[in-house]
């Protein structure tokens, strides 16, 4: 499993922006599709966005489409989630994860085998 560390979370006002980062400890990061999930207290962890080995192969859940952008920088072993037009409903702990199959960009937790520790995003009114 690849070691993943998220960063960039914090408190932001509604309508604002944040960029989350997920850094891998080794270059094997570049061999996996990568996903972002989020979980609010008392709620099930949900899929947010994912990206394949190609930077143009991306998938988003409908609630963030047009507001969030997922990207990756292979040279720096880093995954990003650029979040704009943030809403209070976006408040959650955000997790990055490495996929189990290099050929499938999954939207289920079971499609991912390595997880970061999470970073808190809070969007105020």
């Amino acid at each position: 499993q690849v070691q993943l560390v998220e960063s960039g979370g914090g408190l932001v006002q509604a309508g604002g922006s944040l960029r989350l980062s997920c850094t891998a400890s080794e270059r094997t990061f570049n061999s996996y599709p990568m996903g972002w999930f989020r979980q609010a207290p008392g709620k099930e962890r949900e899929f947010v966005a994912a990206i394949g080995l190609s930077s143009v192969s991306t998938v988003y859940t409908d609630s963030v489409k047009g507001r969030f952008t997922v990207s990756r920088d292979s040279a720096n072993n880093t995954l990003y989630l650029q979040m704009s037009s943030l809403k209070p409903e976006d408040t959650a702990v955000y997790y990055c994860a490495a996929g189990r199959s290099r050929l499938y960009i999954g939207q289920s937790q079971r499609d991912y085998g390595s997880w970061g520790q999470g970073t808190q995003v809070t969007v105020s009114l």
Side-chain angles (χ1 to χ4, degrees):
Q1 294 186 339
V2 62
Q3 298 292 112
L4 305 172
V5 179
E6 301 96 335
S7 63
L11 176 64
V12 64
Q13 293 182 341
S17 300
L18 280 175
R19 187 180 73 164
L20 305 183
S21 299
C22 172
T23 301
S25 60
E26 55 187 304
R27 292 191 298 273
T28 53
F29 159 87
N30 298 323
S31 298
Y32 302 91
M34 298 292 296
W36 286 100
F37 290 76
R38 65 187 181 186
Q39 186 170 25
K43 296 185 178 180
E44 184 178 354
R45 188 175 299 182
E46 65 175 346
F47 172 79
V48 178
I51 187 168
L53 301 183
S54 170
S55 62
V56 298
S57 301
T58 58
V59 181
Y60 299 91
T61 191
D62 287 343
S63 63
V64 308
K65 187 78 173 182
R67 299 189 298 120
F68 291 11
T69 301
V70 61
S71 61
R72 65 194 302 166
D73 182 350
S74 296
N76 294 311
N77 298 340
T78 303
L79 174 74
Y80 300 100
L81 184 66
Q82 177 66 51
M83 305 184 294
S84 300
S85 301
L86 283 162
K87 305 174 181 179
E89 306 92 271
D90 297 317
T91 295
V93 175
Y94 283 70
Y95 300 88
C96 67
R100 301 181 67 183
S101 171
R102 61 181 281 118
L103 302 178
Y104 180 62
I105 308 175
Q107 297 178 239
S108 169
Q109 295 178 62
R110 291 179 289 276
D111 296 319
Y112 297 84
S114 299
W115 295 81
Q117 85 288 349
T119 186
Q120 177 71 48
V121 172
T122 303
V123 184
S124 64
L125 295 173

